[in-house]
Amino acid sequence: RVMTHNVITCRPEDSLTRVLGLMTRYRVRHLPVLEAGRLVGLISIGDAVKHRLDELELEAAVLRDAYIAGH
């Protein structure tokens, strides 16, 4: 089988949590991004995980700075 019949897709406005959830649930590493039924992109699990790690690093930096400023 070269390609699945029921392709799992996402939309540009979908949250990162939803995208990662779809990838996990359906065990796929790439999702086509559709807008109005047209392909507008492709997101990989590597892209999604990197973005989430960047978010977590930013959150950690903000919390660290707030802690330092409070002491």
Side-chain angles (χ1 to χ4, degrees):
R1 192 183 239 192
V2 175
M3 185 174 166
T4 186
H5 293 284
N6 299 319
V7 178
I8 307 303
T9 64
C10 63
R11 299 167 298 165
E13 63 270 13
D14 285 345
S15 69
L16 186 59
T17 301
R18 175 169 165 65
V19 169
L20 287 168
L22 288 170
M23 289 177 166
T24 300
R25 182 178 314 127
Y26 294 102
R27 296 178 182 232
V28 295
R29 298 181 58 81
H30 298 85
L31 284 181
V33 182
L34 300 182
E35 187 170 42
R38 295 188 55 172
L39 181 67
V40 295
L42 183 71
I43 186 167
S44 73
I45 196 164
D47 295 333
V49 169
K50 182 185 181 316
H51 185 74
R52 184 63 184 128
L53 287 174
D54 290 345
E55 285 180 340
L56 291 172
E57 286 178 12
L58 178 60
E59 289 173 19
V62 168
L63 290 171
R64 183 177 50 249
D65 291 347
Y67 176 79
I68 291 170
H71 286 86

